[in-house]
Amino acid sequence: MFGKIVASLILIVGESAFVFAEMNAAHQLAIHQDTFFDIFFDNLPIILVGGILVLLGYSYGIKAFESIWLVVVVSIFGMLLVEPIIAYSLFRTLPELGAIIGMIFSFIGCIYTFKSEH
């Protein structure tokens, strides 16, 4: 159980770093006149840390969960939790109805996957 929690946390933090860097780059392009290379190199360290954490999370997760599909669902679930928070904090816009419905069904699918595997 402890290994699953650690693997999940590593994956969620890594995915959070990726999502933040992606959205931060988009936000910087939307509000600043910085060049693509400036924005790329500003966000590169965050992407590198996120990539390392995602690799560790998947590697440790396959040992802990003994199923690549559970690791994938943990990764997706982490993005579902973090991405709306980051999107709102950077862009200050709420999701449209279709996005809300999609997120709800995604959460239901993730929860069903965890419940059906135990």
Side-chain angles (χ1 to χ4, degrees):
M1 182 63 163
F2 179 75
K4 292 178 182 179
I5 293 170
V6 171
S8 298
L9 288 174
I10 292 169
L11 269 172
I12 291 170
V13 171
E15 294 290 0
S16 299
F18 261 116
V19 168
F20 176 78
E22 294 165 359
M23 289 199 188
N24 189 47
H27 185 251
Q28 286 177 316
L29 279 170
I31 64 170
H32 298 299
Q33 296 300 321
D34 293 343
T35 66
F36 169 78
F37 289 107
D38 289 338
I39 292 170
F40 175 80
F41 287 112
D42 285 348
N43 290 288
L44 184 61
I46 301 168
I47 289 285
L48 292 174
V49 169
I52 290 168
L53 289 173
V54 169
L55 286 172
L56 287 172
Y58 267 82
S59 300
Y60 194 57
I62 193 67
K63 297 289 186 185
F65 287 99
E66 298 177 348
S67 168
I68 192 62
W69 295 108
L70 285 175
V71 178
V72 168
V73 171
V74 168
S75 178
I76 292 169
F77 190 73
M79 285 187 279
L80 281 171
L81 290 174
V82 173
E83 202 153 350
I85 295 167
I86 294 172
Y88 180 76
S89 66
L90 288 174
F91 291 94
R92 300 284 183 217
T93 60
L94 293 174
E96 292 82 16
L97 180 61
I100 291 170
I101 292 170
M103 285 187 280
I104 289 170
F105 281 117
S106 298
F107 275 117
I108 291 168
C110 288
I111 290 167
Y112 181 78
T113 300
F114 291 130
K115 287 194 178 254
S116 69
E117 291 292 325
H118 291 74

